Amino acid sequence: MGNWWRTKACSWGSKGLLAAVLATGVLQLPAVTSAAEGTSPDQIRVGLFLDLGSTYKSTTPVVTLSSGQSWSAGLSASSGASALVSFGANEMAKFSVDGFRVKVLATSDAKTAEDAYKKLNATADKPVIFAASTGTGTVYQVYTGMYASQQAAKDAATRTAKTAAGQLNGQTPVVTGGNHLSAGAYASEAEAAAAAQQIQAAGVDAFVAVQPGGAGGSYAVWVGEAADASGLAAVRSAVSTKLTAATLSEVDASQPALIIRSDAGSSPGSSAAVKHIEVSGNDAKGWINSSGDQIKVSERSGRTYRGSMEISMVNGQLALVNELPFEQYLYAVVGGEVPSSWPEESLKAQAVAARSYASFQIGSSEKFKVADVVDTTLSQAYNGISSEAPSVIGAVDATQGEVLMQNGKVVEAVFSSNSGGATADPTEVWNSGGDAFATVDSKEDVAAQNGAKAWYHVLLSNGITGYVREDNVKELGTATAAGLAKVTVTTKSTNVRPLPLIQSNVEPAAQMNPGDTAVVLEKVKESGTYDWVRGPYTSAELVSTLKGKTSTAAPSTISTLEVTKRGPSGRAIQIKANGQILDVKYPDMFRSALNGLPSTLFDIVPTGSYTVLSANGTTTKVSGASDTSVISASGTSSIAGKGTIVMNGDSKARRIEAGEAFFFVGRGNGHGLGLSQWGAKGMADAGYGYQDILKHYYQNVTIVKE
């Protein structure tokens, strides 16, 4: 890779450092009322599961919650949330929302239910098994869903009928929904459960529902779960036939409630059932509190979170939002974004940047509807209390309330892992960002290479090329006529990797044994967050990954691919395929459009061609698919393009292949805008304070404490 990123970056370095020296101290301002004006909000809402279409999608039909202390479930209202269902310490319970599902079958045979569960769980229609007591036994009810619409559920009913055909025993999967009838109110949960059991014994689905009211809630028995009004009328008719004395009334869907059911798990009968709470009612919001202020979410990698949980329905799917104190949120974010072992000043810089970013979202964004942010790097990495550490908590507390401001507003202080030696200009990322961002030198990013192994890019005797890590290599002290060193390996069956890193899910290109000889084409650092290599990607792979990401369809076959324009930091802002501009929406989109590249600070290296610079300054592209004329002391001869070893002015060599594919060789990880986390670490190691670090990476800003 050339030196363009170094020469582009150096002219901005002194500007950023001068700003850091001049802007010391923290500006004290009076308390104000808006996050956009400089306050840190008291609470923040973090989306763990949400379906917002193309904006954000992370879904699950059921969440499994628990706590190390006693905890409860209630319903959120303007007057607060009261506990309606209580749980003991370490007691587990499942939660879902009362929407469209498919009731696949009901059976008294646990093995039949388990077999159906296994078959369905292997498909997109994820199952749940409810256990309903009839007084004389248990009926296992297998459902799938949630589904965003009644039609989607109808389509699923057709699919599940085929998937579980062997277990249906004459039954037909039916669509269910959130329309219910009430069979009366009861003084306690036990009385309601006994009444529901009697109705269930008559072959009618019945459940206990609890709503706010009285001491501990108001209980009722609900009957049926129809998808629409006609379905509810059919339920009423069926119940009236079987239970002639029953008095039924339609449940008001505008009144929120919790339906209490029993979940049999994936293997009914072999383990104790747990409570399964369905949040029911238009715009209903279930509210989960723990006396110990910590709640575990099994479906989020078993993570435990501070604060409370809200469960609601958004776009027909379960939405799970973690609401917690704002500063405590930062304990997990800072620890999730950077290692807790990093220098204190870099942790403080990360804390202020993270606080500023989150404050901006709360004050200015409605992107995530029911949440301020989400728990992934689409916002900030938030992994709950497992990411907390004393050093991180100390850094957050030491900077409490401090945010970056410009022109009286909080800066959306975006950041990335490693800027590759120079931060990005807004024009290189999203074509926006304001004058708080500019390209500045970030030479400390190289700290990410500390301790990284070197890899030898080698050519084997059979023509295969790949990479071998330095601790497996022995240099032989001999070289080819062109001066390329020769090596062997020290261990039997040493893997020759396609790229200079270990990828457990990628087969090695070849293997070497001691005594085997290979030619060294170049020596590189392990591909990581600073230096990296990706590819080679074939034309077909690139055409596939570009699909839908350019305004104009990319060529059906890509024979040439080149960066034709770069921004102030050297990042690619225009790329042409076969001479056609790949017109992505914004430059940073090249990362996803080209198969998930770490950054846009890269060169493109074709595998099947090379360019020759002649004495008169003209360039000629030579393809590996054709022969090449070579002039030597003995005259002119023709050699096959495929297999030719070419060397550049830096004595780095590569083998030319017959077919064209493309390597991407780059630096940095992330969009590169704003603070570079590795650069901040390097600056802290060099003795800079967190204010200096922030003023280097963000321009024309002040650090404000509420």
Side-chain angles (χ1 to χ4, degrees):
M1 188 174 180
N3 292 329
W4 42 264
W5 65 86
R6 295 195 187 98
T7 57
K8 292 288 185 182
C10 64
S11 60
W12 282 275
S14 57
K15 172 185 173 184
L17 291 174
L18 179 60
V21 171
L22 293 177
T24 58
V26 176
L27 179 62
Q28 301 287 332
L29 291 185
V32 288
T33 58
S34 167
E37 295 174 347
T39 67
S40 291
D42 292 333
Q43 301 283 314
I44 188 168
R45 294 169 56 83
V46 187
L48 304 183
F49 289 106
L50 276 176
D51 185 356
L52 299 177
S54 59
T55 299
Y56 181 78
K57 189 169 185 176
S58 178
T59 61
T60 182
V62 176
V63 291
T64 308
L65 307 181
S66 60
S67 178
Q69 298 79 30
S70 59
W71 59 291
S72 63
L75 288 162
S76 177
S78 58
S79 58
S82 58
L84 299 176
V85 183
S86 298
F87 305 94
N90 299 313
E91 181 180 356
M92 184 175 66
K94 295 180 180 290
F95 291 80
S96 61
V97 289
D98 187 20
F100 294 113
R101 281 196 177 100
V102 173
K103 185 179 181 182
V104 182
L105 61 89
T107 178
S108 59
D109 182 52
K111 182 66 165 57
T112 298
E114 181 178 354
D115 290 345
Y117 184 100
K118 289 178 179 178
K119 288 182 176 294
L120 292 164
N121 199 44
T123 72
D125 298 299
K126 297 306 178 186
V128 61
I129 303 176
F130 291 122
S133 176
T134 64
T136 58
T138 301
V139 175
Y140 299 105
Q141 304 164 324
V142 181
Y143 289 74
T144 62
M146 304 296 299
Y147 300 103
S149 67
Q150 187 173 354
Q151 184 57 53
K154 288 180 179 179
D155 294 341
T158 302
R159 293 193 302 269
T160 58
K162 296 177 181 178
T163 304
Q167 290 75 42
L168 290 179
N169 193 27
Q171 298 178 73
T172 300
V174 296
V175 175
T176 64
N179 296 284
H180 309 280
L181 298 171
S182 175
Y186 294 85
S188 68
E189 181 180 351
E191 290 182 15
Q197 182 175 290
Q198 292 179 349
I199 297 173
Q200 191 74 44
V204 177
D205 289 337
F207 344 94
V208 175
V210 59
Q211 295 177 303
S218 174
Y219 294 92
V221 173
W222 286 5
V223 178
E225 46 186 344
D228 52 28
S230 62
L232 194 62
V235 170
R236 183 187 292 272
S237 176
V239 174
S240 298
T241 300
K242 295 180 179 181
L243 299 169
T244 55
T247 301
L248 303 175
S249 61
E250 188 170 335
V251 172
D252 184 354
S254 68
Q255 297 300 308
L258 299 181
I259 299 174
I260 305 172
R261 303 182 74 167
S262 179
D263 194 306
S266 60
S267 183
S270 63
S271 58
V274 300
K275 284 184 177 179
H276 186 129
I277 310 300
E278 294 179 321
V279 178
S280 180
N282 299 337
D283 301 320
K285 295 177 174 61
W287 192 256
I288 315 300
N289 269 328
S290 168
S291 61
D293 201 32
Q294 293 184 5
I295 299 169
K296 180 180 178 180
V297 183
S298 296
E299 289 75 16
R300 220 53 173 163
S301 301
R303 296 170 185 152
T304 299
Y305 301 88
R306 293 177 182 263
S308 302
M309 295 287 172
E310 180 187 275
I311 298 171
S312 64
M313 185 188 294
V314 175
N315 293 329
Q317 297 291 333
L318 180 148
L320 181 68
V321 175
N322 178 204
E323 184 170 308
L324 73 160
F326 184 80
E327 292 291 314
Q328 292 181 11
Y329 160 75
L330 295 175
Y331 293 163
V333 165
V334 175
E337 285 286 350
V338 296
S340 60
S341 59
W342 277 13
E344 180 182 7
E345 296 304 302
S346 66
L347 296 178
K348 289 179 180 178
Q350 181 66 57
V352 176
R355 184 182 293 110
S356 302
Y357 177 87
S359 296
F360 179 91
Q361 305 308 315
I362 293 173
S364 307
S365 177
E366 296 182 355
K367 181 178 182 179
F368 300 115
K369 307 301 181 184
V370 297
D372 300 312
V373 293
V374 293
D375 65 338
T376 71
T377 53
L378 187 59
S379 295
Q380 303 183 109
Y382 173 65
N383 299 324
I385 64 173
S386 63
S387 297
E388 297 181 10
S391 59
V392 170
I393 293 173
V396 173
D397 290 348
T399 62
Q400 183 175 9
E402 293 182 21
V403 292
L404 296 168
M405 294 190 70
Q406 185 184 79
N407 300 325
K409 296 181 179 179
V410 176
V411 174
E412 186 181 19
V414 295
F415 47 84
S416 64
S417 172
N418 192 305
S419 65
T423 64
D425 185 85
T427 59
E428 300 173 304
V429 184
W430 301 304
N431 296 319
S432 63
D435 59 0
F437 303 97
T439 295
V440 297
D441 175 74
S442 188
K443 61 182 182 296
E444 293 83 4
D445 286 328
V446 74
Q449 279 191 331
N450 293 342
K453 298 286 187 182
W455 289 67
Y456 288 81
H457 188 195
V458 298
L459 170 67
L460 306 184
S461 58
N462 60 4
I464 293 176
T465 61
Y467 294 85
V468 182
R469 203 170 65 184
E470 63 176 343
D471 50 349
N472 295 314
V473 172
K474 178 182 178 181
E475 296 185 3
L476 297 175
T478 58
T480 66
L484 297 176
K486 294 182 178 181
V487 296
T488 188
V489 294
T490 58
T491 306
K492 184 179 179 180
S493 300
T494 295
N495 288 325
V496 180
R497 301 283 181 179
L499 296 175
L501 75 161
I502 296 175
Q503 298 168 291
S504 58
N505 60 335
V506 177
E507 289 294 318
Q511 289 188 329
M512 289 182 65
N513 291 305
D516 295 342
T517 302
V519 174
V520 179
L521 300 176
E522 63 176 328
K523 191 175 180 182
V524 300
K525 282 286 189 180
E526 183 164 286
S527 190
T529 58
Y530 184 68
D531 280 322
W532 53 264
V533 181
R534 294 292 186 273
Y537 299 131
T538 64
S539 168
E541 288 174 317
L542 291 174
V543 169
S544 175
T545 191
L546 282 164
K547 188 174 181 180
K549 294 170 184 170
T550 56
S551 300
T552 306
S556 58
T557 301
I558 297 176
S559 56
T560 65
L561 191 68
E562 57 183 338
V563 177
T564 48
K565 284 186 182 178
R566 298 188 185 273
S569 74
R571 285 169 169 77
I573 59 173
Q574 185 185 86
I575 296 175
K576 290 183 178 180
N578 302 353
Q580 174 187 321
I581 294 175
L582 299 177
D583 46 0
V584 293
K585 188 175 181 180
Y586 47 83
D588 193 62
M589 197 172 176
F590 282 127
R591 288 198 289 154
S592 60
L594 296 171
N595 228 10
L597 300 179
S599 77
T600 57
L601 192 61
F602 57 75
D603 282 333
I604 302 173
V605 181
T607 64
S609 62
Y610 59 97
T611 301
V612 177
L613 176 65
S614 67
N616 63 5
T618 60
T619 59
T620 304
K621 179 182 177 181
V622 181
S623 170
S626 58
D627 292 347
T628 302
S629 296
V630 176
I631 300 175
S632 66
S634 57
T636 301
S637 60
S638 180
I639 62 172
K642 176 185 177 181
T644 300
I645 305 299
V646 297
M647 185 184 298
N648 65 13
D650 296 327
S651 297
K652 294 181 179 180
R654 63 186 178 94
R655 183 180 189 270
I656 305 302
E657 307 296 338
E660 192 74 286
F662 303 91
F663 276 108
F664 294 82
V665 183
R667 284 191 170 176
N669 186 28
H671 50 68
L673 203 62
L675 179 138
S676 168
Q677 291 168 329
W678 275 100
K681 177 190 182 299
M683 290 185 70
D685 285 336
Y688 288 95
Y690 77 97
Q691 298 168 35
D692 301 327
I693 295 169
L694 291 166
K695 292 298 180 65
H696 175 63
Y697 284 109
Y698 301 101
Q699 310 305 301
N700 309 308
V701 298
T702 54
I703 301 174
V704 176
K705 184 178 180 68
E706 179 183 355

